[in-house]
């Protein structure tokens, strides 16, 4: 007896009228078993849904008045219904073969909880370092690799299906303005979930992510500091010094502002944040 093919839902988080226009401009392939869920934060706005989205039966748009990217992603997770859920931003172009490869990976391994995939820069290359072959993620991440939210796919009915992004982290959070995806994966790793990083191109992202552009927001430094302290509780201070030095050398940060805010983020997290709670408000 053949098993039913797994369904895939791409969960796109966006904000405001400009954000929903970006979603309408995305490449979202129409494929059997693939649907798109748009979680649209419309704080203080009464924006109309673009016709390109309204006309598509495979696109579902849900509005929320919440603030912050992690809250937006959690809103999507709470309303998703497919077998496999893919985290997405509002400026991506998806590849049909990549979406099919996500489903194939989860169908081939019933024990797989989280799959991580690659994105390219649209010019035949990548903006970050990826391993050349699939890697099981159990302890620390592979050397020089860091996670980006749009690489993450989750089995909804699996052990990772109940995980949520910590709302004290990420864009729009009050203090710690990045690191939500690292904390999400850290929670899964600590719980023993099966995570595999696949050598498969999923989508195209043109432009730089936070990890590759010049950092000017102290909240980004603070988020980086908080996550580093969680992952490396015994060695985070020398890692702060090394990260600030490397950032200065690459020209993406200033040494002392980075170091001070790394430490601030670690202290704030230790005193004010319960890092492995489901919600910041719990």
């Amino acid at each position: 007896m053949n098993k039913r093919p797994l369904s895939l839902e791409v969960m796109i988080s966006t904000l405001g009228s400009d954000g929903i226009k970006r979603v309408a401009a995305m490449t979202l392939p129409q494929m059997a078993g693939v649907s798109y869920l748009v979680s649209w934060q419309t704080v203080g706005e009464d924006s109309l849904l673009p016709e390109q989205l309204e006309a598509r039966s495979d696109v579902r748009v849900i509005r929320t008045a919440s603030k912050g990217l992690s809250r937006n992603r959690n809103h999507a997770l709470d309303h998703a219904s497919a077998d496999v859920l893919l985290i997405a931003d509002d400026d991506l172009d998806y590849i049909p073969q990549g979406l099919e490869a996500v489903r194939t990976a989860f169908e081939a391994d019933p024990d797989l909880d989280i799959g991580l995939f690659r994105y390219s820069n649209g010019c035949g290359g990548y903006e970050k370092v990826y391993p050349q072959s699939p890697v099981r993620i159990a302890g620390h991440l592979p050397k020089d690799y860091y996670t980006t939210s749009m690489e993450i796919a989750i089995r909804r009915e699996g052990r990772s299906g109940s995980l949520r992004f910590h709302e004290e982290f990420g864009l729009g959070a009050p203090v710690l303005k990045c690191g939500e995806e690292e904390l999400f994966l850290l929670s899964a790793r600590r719980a023993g979930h099966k995570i595999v990083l696949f050598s498969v191109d999923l989508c195209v992202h043109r432009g730089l992510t936070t990890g590759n552009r010049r950092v000017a927001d102290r909240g980004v430094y603070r988020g980086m500091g908080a996550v580093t302290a969680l992952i490396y509780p015994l060695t985070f201070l020398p890692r702060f010094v090394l990260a600030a030095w490397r950032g200065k050398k690459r020209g993406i940060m200033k040494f002392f502002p980075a170091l001070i805010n790394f430490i601030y983020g670690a202290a704030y997290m230790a005193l004010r944040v319960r890092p492995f709670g489901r919600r910041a408000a719990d």
Side-chain angles (χ1 to χ4, degrees):
M1 181 177 177
N2 292 330
K3 292 184 178 180
R4 174 182 64 83
L6 295 180
S7 58
L8 172 66
E9 196 162 26
V10 182
M11 303 183 303
I12 305 166
S13 297
T14 194
L15 168 66
S17 57
D18 289 341
I20 201 68
K21 291 174 185 175
R22 287 194 297 271
V23 176
M26 291 173 67
T27 300
L28 304 176
Q30 294 180 279
M31 302 169 58
V34 177
S35 61
Y36 303 90
L37 174 63
V38 182
S39 180
W40 182 17
Q41 287 177 320
T42 54
V43 181
E45 296 185 78
D46 187 20
S47 304
L48 295 176
L49 185 65
E51 292 181 3
Q52 302 97 306
L53 299 177
E54 196 167 18
R56 292 199 38 177
S57 60
D58 59 342
V59 175
R60 181 164 55 108
V61 179
I62 53 175
R63 300 190 188 219
T64 173
S66 65
K67 296 181 180 180
L69 180 56
S70 288
R71 284 193 172 92
N72 204 0
R73 295 210 193 282
N74 288 342
H75 184 248
L77 284 165
D78 289 343
H79 289 82
S81 59
D83 300 310
V84 179
L85 310 177
L86 182 62
I87 308 297
D89 291 330
D90 61 9
D91 56 354
L92 308 174
D93 292 322
Y94 280 95
I95 304 166
Q97 307 94 296
L99 295 175
E100 191 57 44
V102 174
R103 294 203 299 176
T104 299
F106 281 87
E107 288 173 349
D109 185 355
D111 295 325
L112 180 64
D113 295 300
I114 294 177
L116 304 175
F117 300 85
R118 303 186 304 200
Y119 68 89
S120 68
N121 61 12
C123 298
Y126 304 95
E127 296 298 332
K128 56 190 287 189
V129 175
Y130 289 106
Q132 295 302 307
S133 57
V135 176
R136 171 79 182 270
I137 307 294
H140 294 308
L141 298 177
K143 181 177 174 57
D144 296 326
Y145 170 78
Y146 61 90
T147 309
T148 307
S149 294
M150 58 190 165
E151 300 168 341
I152 302 173
I154 308 157
R155 189 186 300 273
R156 187 173 64 88
E157 295 295 336
R159 293 176 295 179
S160 295
S162 62
L163 290 179
R164 295 295 183 268
F165 289 89
H166 198 297
E167 294 170 2
E168 287 279 0
F169 290 77
L171 290 175
V175 176
L176 309 173
K177 298 187 183 297
C178 73
E180 71 279 10
E181 54 273 275
E182 287 94 341
L183 184 53
F184 185 93
L185 282 190
L186 180 60
S187 299
R189 298 205 308 272
R190 288 191 172 187
H193 299 183
K194 184 173 183 180
I195 307 169
V196 177
L197 171 57
F198 294 93
S199 302
V200 173
D201 287 0
L202 172 65
C203 62
V204 174
H205 178 266
R206 295 174 176 84
L208 300 179
T209 60
T210 301
N212 283 309
R213 61 175 178 256
R214 183 174 179 82
V215 181
D217 189 334
R218 63 185 181 182
V220 174
Y221 294 131
R222 292 171 178 181
M224 294 167 66
V227 170
T228 301
L230 282 170
I231 297 174
Y232 303 104
L234 300 180
T235 61
F236 66 89
L237 284 174
R239 288 176 184 274
F240 287 171
V241 175
L242 181 60
W245 178 78
R246 286 177 172 171
K248 181 179 184 297
K249 190 175 180 181
R250 290 173 59 197
I252 63 172
M253 60 180 67
K254 295 181 179 180
F255 181 83
F256 284 109
L259 183 60
I260 290 168
N261 282 290
F262 288 159
I263 295 169
Y264 185 103
Y268 179 88
M269 184 272 302
L271 296 172
R272 300 286 300 277
V273 177
R274 186 158 54 89
F276 299 104
R278 181 178 183 276
R279 305 279 194 187
D282 283 352

